[in-house]
Amino acid sequence: MSTTVTDADEKTLLASIPTGLYIGGAWRPASDGGTFDVLDPSNGEVLLSVADATPADGLAALDAAASAQRDWARTAPRARGEILRGAFEAVTARADAFALLMTLEMGKTLAESKGEVAYGAEFLRWFSEEAPRVSGRYATAPDGANRLLVNKRPVGPSLFITPWNFPLAMATRKIAPAIAAGCTMVLKPAALTPLTALLFTQVLEQAGLPAGVLNVIPTTSAGRVTGPLIKDSRLRKLSFTGSTEVGRRLIADAADQVLRVSMELGGNAPFLVFDDADVDAAVDGAMLAKLRNGGEACTAANRLLVHESVAAEFTEKLTERMRAHTVARGTDPSAKIGPLVDETTRDKVHELVSATLAEGATLTLGGHALDGPGYFYEPTVLTNVPADARILREEIFGPVAPIVTFATEEEAVRLANDTEYGLVAYAFTRDLNRGLRLAEELETGMLGLNAGVISNPAAPFGGVKQSGLGREGGFEGIEEYLETRYIGIANPFAD
Ligand code: NAP
């Protein structure tokens, strides 16, 4: 595909996307024939209509996953890894198609989408390599009598619920380790962005994934369709990425079956710039941490906390860089930020900006929605933000940078930790000891030290406090899909 995307490119791609449910290795319509429209957030036009799964379809998907579990667990780890490796090659070969599809349904720029394709595909390669490395141990008990055999078993049928902001990577972060570990699964992608998941499912089918291992059920009735699965004793694991509000409810629902849960929830990342920081590097980092994915990321810098001695320089440089960021449809080669995902998200961002101004902040840049069609919002900088402003407590999920100043390291740490979230923090400083102190004192699952983007398939991604439970990626990622089994063996020298 050429760098300039034409209408014909878009039509050809959309015509190739499967639009059914994928259950038991077959594509099928919803049991009641229902469909729903997937919209392009840059103009509100319908891209495609896809099957709208019913509760009966959800149970059929779990039936298929439960039936396939035994054989899949017995499939050689190397064979499971080879399927993932094949899928990695296929996604990489079709990177342009995946990128365009994501841009069309979610809005992010093509450059951002290509970045996500590379990131999302890496989980397939990483876990293809982890599949044959699952192991256990054999030991002599401390008293020298019995022998202890410990091995790992797949958890079993798993339910995955994913958000719209990273339509490929949020799916591969769960599907790849589950395949590697030998689990079967049901995926419910976000209703706003099911197309990328459907194309990826086709890739896995073509890579040889056996029927029933992955079942995919887009739906507009998330709670009604997934609720009965969570209460079904055949389900053994729930992995959710989305808002803390929904995650809390799902944890409560999962208690009935004492399900294993992984929760990748919301964030409220502090971005700390100290007086000894390289300010230009901090501005580069802030552009990434704030504007990656148009600000629609759980890892987005939500609060820019800047030492008072460098605040003026940092604010001026960041404002100029954000001013130069072109807002346009994601397929436009000049676009640095696409539209927000829908009208509700755009209106929520604007309401939060308006509330912050009413609370006494100063508007340094932006502050307005752009004329439609589409849900575009200007890059926005807010200064003099009061310490108790609502914007500092809530996820913004848009291209808005609230700047707050601090005077001491102690104050910076206190402000950074003053949130119920704990996903990621960023800190810019040239002082190694300060960096190490922050690594111990900041209450987050991850820290970017002089770095504005740290997501990496080889690293454990996840949060503490109300940002979640469990880790995705790294050596830790596959553990979420494994149970530890212990076999006690009588002393072989006893007779
Ligand atoms: P969301 O509203 O919580 O939705 C996430 C997923 O849950 C969607 O598939 C949604 O379906 C589904 N869902 C909603 N209500 C449900 C219910 N009652 N039962 C079962 N499923 C339900 O979040 P979002 O707006 O899509 O995504 C943004 C959020 O995700 C932000 O808070 C962000 O921080 C978080 N996030 C976290 C991470 C991380 O790794 N920590 C990564 C990315 C995003 P519908 O599509 O039908 O609504």
Side-chain angles (χ1 to χ4, degrees), residues 21 57 84 97 99-100 102 143 151 170 322 330 340 371 454 482:
L21 312 177
D57 294 322
L84 286 173
L100 177 55
M102 248 191 285
D143 64 4
N151 69 3
M170 297 304 101
M322 285 180 65
L340 296 176
D371 286 342
I454 60 166
L482 294 169

Side-chain angles (χ1 to χ4, degrees), residues 161-162 164 173 188 191 240-243 264-266 298 395 461:
I161 302 176
T162 53
W164 49 264
R173 275 200 329 200
K188 193 219 78 66
F240 170 77
T241 300
S243 60
E264 296 286 353
L265 308 179
C298 51
E395 270 192 299
F461 185 105

Side-chain angles (χ1 to χ4, degrees), residues 258-317:
V258 194
L259 281 185
R260 286 269 301 264
V261 293
S262 298
M263 291 280 148
E264 296 286 353
L265 308 179
N268 180 1
F271 185 100
L272 304 161
V273 183
F274 287 90
D275 50 355
D276 61 359
D278 174 339
V279 174
D280 290 322
V283 171
D284 287 345
M287 290 297 289
L288 290 169
K290 180 67 255 181
L291 293 184
R292 178 166 168 257
N293 224 41
E296 294 172 307
C298 51
T299 51
N302 213 59
R303 297 169 289 151
L304 301 176
L305 309 178
V306 187
H307 191 272
E308 57 194 15
S309 69
V310 291
E313 180 188 358
F314 176 85
T315 303
E316 190 188 326
K317 288 181 169 171

